[in-house]
Amino acid sequence: MVGARWRLLWLAVVTVLVAACTSSAGGASGEGPTSASTTPRPVPDTSTTTTAPPPPTTTTTAPAPTIDPAVHTPPPADPSAPGWLPTTPDFDMPNPLIVLTDEHYVSFATQTEWDGVTINVPFRLSTDLVTWSLPGDALPVLPPWAAHDVTWAPDVLQTEDGWVLFFTARLQGTELQCIGHAVGDALLGPYAAFDEPIVCPTERGGAIDPRSFVDLDGQAWLLWKTDDNWDLDREAPSSIVSQRLSSDGTALVGEPSVILDAAFGWEGHIVEAPDMVRGPDGRLWLLYSGGWFNQPHYGLGWAECATPAGPCTRHGAGRFLGTNLQGEGPGEGSIWFDRDGSTWIAYAPWAQRFRTPTPRPLALVRLGFGPDGPYLGSPQR
């Protein structure tokens, strides 16, 4: 996760932390980026609730931490209240993504509005994960294929050529959603979008929830969900898919692989919001959400994968994290590493009742790794 979602084995985390979030990298190469304006959308400069420092002048990574093996084996969490809720319940940050720089925690999230302005891909800064700056817009100009009603589930990837932003948007003139990509010179953008989606399997209802993963060999992968359940009358089962990315992160390479299909009862016919992490023993884990995102049965599950291209086998028969005293319907998890080397999931609880929106604040749960795989660890914050 650090270094724009580098999901690496903890044996390699020190190297990753040194390489991540360097603002001096050049713009990503590849054919087809639009000539979108590089002027970010103006952001209001006052707030009664958010007063974090201004954006950093650099986005270099924090000094590499000394990794203590104990950070991988925290005490088990209380399953009735396993997480840490740093924000207030009315703070809305669905599909949260956390990136760590030398000065700040940077969050990316789903489209929002602030002071009457639509912010396509909002980013916020914090020094403590509690107080956050006003949102800026990493993607102030949408590509021509994207409808201007919702942009969500962003992900960022750093390459030697710069930064790549992946996002979900609705395909113009349809009810389908597809995955777009954009390039920028810095973590916070502004990013310039390509004219066409990078993933858009219309035969499977489109695609959502992009997430990048970089394995030990340096190969970057893109994970996503086929959006088969877009048609509420069909109830077709969705899948999680992975495919290799080019070295600059702007093109898919080879063939896609279906690595997980909806199967378990608690998942219904939906698996989505994938992410990957290698544990300290080298085993590769797929984090995913199951069920309808706006219902209390929504939750997080694990599968163990032989490679990023699968095959993946579920870990246990139930949810890894489900409704508890800290909120209903926790899901949309993304994995990130803190400065001490500990592993965390950022997620969104407080289920939205069907077609009745409620805020989904940022929540964090710590991961431990034992002989049987990942487990809920005590936050220790």
Side-chain angles (χ1 to χ4, degrees), residues 10 37 47 72-73 82 98 146 169 178 185 228 250 274 333 341 363 379:
W10 279 111
S37 169
S47 172
H72 307 311
T73 55
I98 303 292
C178 297
D185 293 330
D228 306 80
T250 65

Side-chain angles (χ1 to χ4, degrees), residues 352-369:
Q352 294 189 1
R353 301 299 181 180
F354 192 58
R355 300 192 184 280
T356 305
T358 56
R360 286 179 288 167
L362 172 67
L364 306 171
V365 65
R366 187 171 179 182
L367 285 185
F369 292 91

Side-chain angles (χ1 to χ4, degrees), residues 191-213:
Y191 291 84
F194 285 75
D195 286 336
E196 300 294 335
I198 189 172
V199 182
C200 194
T202 55
E203 73 281 2
R204 296 208 60 175
I208 66 172
D209 294 346
R211 188 69 76 218
S212 58
F213 169 73

Side-chain angles (χ1 to χ4, degrees), residues 47-362:
S47 172
T48 59
T49 59
T50 52
T51 56
T57 55
T58 62
T59 54
T60 55
T61 303
T66 300
I67 302 301
D68 180 351
V71 303
H72 307 311
T73 55
D78 175 359
S80 68
W84 178 43
L85 278 59
T87 59
T88 60
D90 61 349
F91 188 88
D92 197 33
M93 192 186 288
N95 302 104
L97 173 75
I98 303 292
V99 180
L100 188 61
T101 75
D102 60 343
E103 296 177 323
H104 292 93
Y105 297 95
V106 181
S107 74
F108 293 87
T110 284
Q111 176 182 302
T112 190
E113 288 193 6
W114 190 264
D115 198 27
V117 176
T118 298
I119 301 178
N120 296 320
V121 178
F123 65 82
R124 298 174 176 90
L125 308 176
S126 178
T127 58
D128 58 7
L129 295 167
V130 176
T131 303
W132 292 87
S133 68
L134 297 173
D137 197 345
L139 187 66
V141 179
L142 293 177
W145 63 266
H148 290 253
D149 58 351
V150 61
T151 310
W152 58 298
D155 183 78
V156 289
L157 170 70
Q158 188 182 24
T159 74
E160 293 182 355
D161 298 298
W163 292 86
V164 184
L165 169 72
F166 301 99
F167 59 93
T168 304
R170 195 175 305 280
L171 191 64
Q172 288 273 15
T174 76
E175 293 298 317
L176 304 183
Q177 299 178 98
C178 297
I179 294 171
H181 59 323
V183 292
D185 293 330
L187 169 63
L188 304 183
Y191 291 84
F194 285 75
D195 286 336
E196 300 294 335
I198 189 172
V199 182
C200 194
T202 55
E203 73 281 2
R204 296 208 60 175
I208 66 172
D209 294 346
R211 188 69 76 218
S212 58
F213 169 73
V214 182
D215 210 354
L216 297 178
D217 59 2
Q219 175 63 60
W221 296 76
L222 188 66
L223 312 175
W224 67 86
K225 171 220 175 175
T226 60
D227 203 26
D228 306 80
N229 60 286
W230 75 274
D231 185 344
L232 301 182
D233 295 327
R234 290 177 58 227
E235 294 190 352
S238 66
S239 302
I240 291 175
V241 180
S242 71
Q243 190 168 350
R244 289 187 297 133
L245 283 165
S246 60
S247 60
D248 65 3
T250 65
L252 295 170
V253 177
E255 296 298 322
S257 299
V258 174
I259 61 176
L260 195 74
D261 289 311
F264 282 3
W266 69 270
E267 299 166 355
H269 55 283
I270 301 171
V271 287
E272 61 185 17
D275 203 353
M276 276 187 172
V277 64
R278 282 198 182 272
D281 59 0
R283 295 161 72 185
L284 179 63
W285 297 96
L286 171 70
L287 176 71
Y288 68 95
S289 297
W292 283 104
F293 78 99
N294 53 11
Q295 298 295 315
H297 64 257
Y298 197 52
L300 293 166
W302 285 108
E304 186 174 5
C305 302
T307 74
C312 300
T313 304
R314 283 171 174 78
H315 179 64
R319 301 171 186 82
F320 173 77
L321 179 64
T323 290
N324 57 68
L325 296 178
Q326 295 177 317
E328 295 184 335
E332 305 164 2
S334 64
I335 299 164
W336 61 281
F337 307 126
D338 211 343
R339 288 186 171 86
D340 63 355
S342 56
T343 312
W344 294 76
I345 298 174
Y347 65 99
W350 279 278
Q352 294 189 1
R353 301 299 181 180
F354 192 58
R355 300 192 184 280
T356 305
T358 56
R360 286 179 288 167
L362 172 67

